[in-house]
Amino acid sequence: MRVLGIETSCDETAAAVYDGTVGLLSHALHSQVQMHAEYGGVVPELASRDHVRRLLPLIQTALADAHTQPEQLDGVAYTAGPGLVGALLVGGAVARSLAFAWGRPALGVHHLEGHLLAPMLEATPPEFPFLALLVSGGHTLLAVVRGLGEYEIIGSSLDDAAGEAFDKTAKLLGLPYPGGPALAALARSGRAGKFQFPRPMLDRPGLDFSFSGLKTAVVVATRDLKLDEQTRADVACEFQQAVVETLVAKCARAATQTGMKTLVIAGGVGANQALRTELGALGRRAGLQILYPRPEFCTDNAAMIAYAGYRRLAGGEHDELKIRASARWPLDTLRPPPHSS
Ligand code: KG4
Ligand code: ZN
C-alpha cells in the first residue's frame, strides 16, 4: 500500500509518499519561518495563504521524487488537527479533492500521532509499548504508547508548552523567531550558574509540567539588567538548563512509574542538543533505550503523516466524503483502526 501524506497544520507545508513494503519514498517541505519571522510569530492568515501557494507544487515534487503516478497511490492522508484551522483546511481540502478525483480513500490524521510515530521511520524503530515525551511548540506531554491509537497520557503541561517557553524567552532576549534554535545557539556561549531559575514542578509528585513560571522568572531576573551579549547568553544557558533538567527528571520518574525500558522523544524541542545530552546520561543511568526521529522528522513534516495515514488506512480506516479540520483534538480520544496489526 502506498500513501501520499500532507501536512499543513502550522507553518510548514509538506508532502511525502510512504510505501508499506519499501518504506519512505520521498518527502518535500517548505518552511514559512522567514515569512513569519518579520512578525515575531506565526500569522495564521499568512500561513493559510502560503499553504495555498506551496502545497500543489510540493505534492508534485513528492510524487516525482517517489517515481509515483497518482494511480499507484492507495490513499491520501492529511493532518486534520490539532492546529491552525485555516491552515488545516487548506491541506484537508486539497487532500480530500485529490483523493476524490483519483478515486482513492482519504484520511484525516492526528498531528501528534504523527509525531509519536515518527521514530518508526528510522532504521531502529521502537517496539510497542514504549514511553514517549512529546515536546513541540504547542504541546508537552508524556504518554504510554501501547500500540497504534492506544495512547495513555500520563503527564502534560498545565500552561505553556516547552517549545512555547523557548520561543517566548527567546523573544524576551531579542532573538528572532523561531526562538528555540536561536536560544539554544546563544546558550552555547553562556556560563552556567550565573542566574538561578526554578525547576518547575520538580518539588511536587506527578508527571505534569508547568513552564510559565520559568518564563516569569526570566522576566524578573532580567528586568533591571543591561542585556549585553554575555548576559543574554548566560540567561539562555540557565533557562535551557532549567527546561532540560525538568524534562529529564519527569522522564526518569515516568520510566520508574511505568517500568518502560524504551523512551521515544518527539517534537521540535527534541532537536535540542542539551536535552539529547542529558537524556543520553539518563539512558545510561537507568538502562533506558532512548530513540529519536532524525532531526528533520522531529519538527513538522509530512513523512510522519504519510506513515500514520498508511498504518490507519492499512488497518481498514478511512473517512467519508468530508473535509476534517479540528483546531483542538485531544490525543487520548484516538482509537486503534478496525484491523490493527
Ligand atoms: O514540532 P514542531 O516543529 O511544531 C509544533 O508542532 O509545534 O516544534 C516547534 C517548536 C518551536 O517552539 C521551536 O522553537 C522548538 O520546537 N525547537 C527547539 C529547537 N528546535 C526547534 N527548541 C529548543 N531547541 C531546539 N534546538
Ligand atoms: Zn508538530
Side-chain angles (χ1 to χ4, degrees):
M1 175 179 269
R2 197 170 280 194
V3 175
L4 170 68
I6 290 172
E7 158 65 36
T8 63
S9 66
C10 190
D11 58 348
E12 260 95 31
T13 322
V17 179
Y18 186 86
D19 184 282
T21 311
V22 189
L24 185 68
L25 295 180
S26 68
H27 66 103
L29 180 140
H30 172 77
S31 170
Q32 304 179 352
V33 156
Q34 281 196 322
M35 183 180 78
H36 297 295
E38 208 182 312
Y39 305 93
V42 177
V43 184
E45 182 59 24
L46 292 184
S48 308
R49 289 174 192 223
D50 207 49
H51 288 311
V52 171
R53 273 192 292 273
R54 307 278 179 183
L55 185 53
L56 281 172
L58 279 169
I59 292 172
Q60 280 166 336
T61 304
L63 288 176
D65 290 353
H67 305 291
T68 296
Q69 300 297 322
E71 49 275 14
Q72 291 170 272
L73 291 170
D74 299 288
V76 183
Y78 63 95
T79 304
L84 302 170
V85 81
L88 290 166
L89 274 169
V90 176
V94 169
R96 180 65 271 187
S97 309
L98 287 176
F100 181 72
W102 295 335
R104 297 291 188 272
L107 182 69
V109 167
H110 196 293
H111 182 77
L112 302 186
E113 178 167 76
H115 275 304
L116 288 180
L117 299 180
M120 298 292 190
L121 294 163
E122 301 308 323
T124 1
E127 277 177 33
F128 297 126
F130 57 81
L131 191 62
L133 171 71
L134 197 147
V135 271
S136 70
H139 300 85
T140 300
L141 54 89
L142 270 163
V144 177
V145 179
R146 298 189 197 286
L148 180 67
E150 294 180 77
Y151 312 120
E152 185 195 345
I153 296 174
I154 55 175
S156 57
S157 178
L158 306 175
D159 40 60
D160 292 352
E164 193 178 359
F166 265 97
D167 293 341
K168 286 179 175 171
T169 305
K171 208 168 186 173
L172 282 172
L173 296 176
L175 296 170
Y177 172 84
L183 190 146
L186 181 62
R188 257 180 240 132
S189 45
R191 297 164 298 180
K194 288 282 167 190
F195 288 85
Q196 263 91 45
F197 296 139
R199 305 307 193 237
M201 313 275 290
L202 279 195
D203 50 347
R204 281 182 244 173
L207 298 170
D208 287 334
F209 305 89
S210 166
F211 292 110
S212 71
L214 181 54
K215 182 192 61 199
T216 309
V218 174
V219 175
V220 172
T222 55
R223 209 164 24 201
D224 303 321
L225 290 182
K226 199 175 116 323
L227 282 181
D228 58 30
E229 187 66 15
Q230 186 59 55
T231 311
R232 286 160 69 239
D234 294 343
V235 171
C237 175
E238 192 58 25
F239 166 83
Q240 175 172 266
Q241 195 53 32
V243 174
V244 166
E245 270 178 36
T246 306
L247 292 173
V248 173
K250 296 279 167 160
C251 286
R253 212 178 268 182
T256 308
Q257 274 182 29
T258 60
M260 298 275 160
K261 288 290 168 214
T262 302
L263 171 65
V264 156
I265 311 296
V269 183
N272 185 278
Q273 201 46 55
L275 177 63
R276 288 184 174 222
T277 304
E278 294 291 323
L279 282 170
L282 168 68
R284 287 188 292 279
R285 230 174 24 243
L288 263 179
Q289 182 192 28
I290 313 231
L291 297 175
Y292 304 89
R294 70 194 84 165
E296 66 203 296
F297 295 163
C298 276
T299 48
D300 289 349
N301 66 87
M304 66 184 192
I305 301 305
Y307 177 77
Y310 154 71
R311 290 293 306 263
R312 285 189 170 275
L313 286 158
E317 192 174 323
H318 63 83
D319 287 342
E320 295 158 27
L321 274 182
K322 62 179 181 189
I323 296 164
R324 285 165 52 201
S326 312
R328 289 176 191 284
W329 182 5
L331 180 69
D332 50 8
T333 61
L334 295 188
R335 296 291 172 260
H339 315 294
S340 207
S341 53

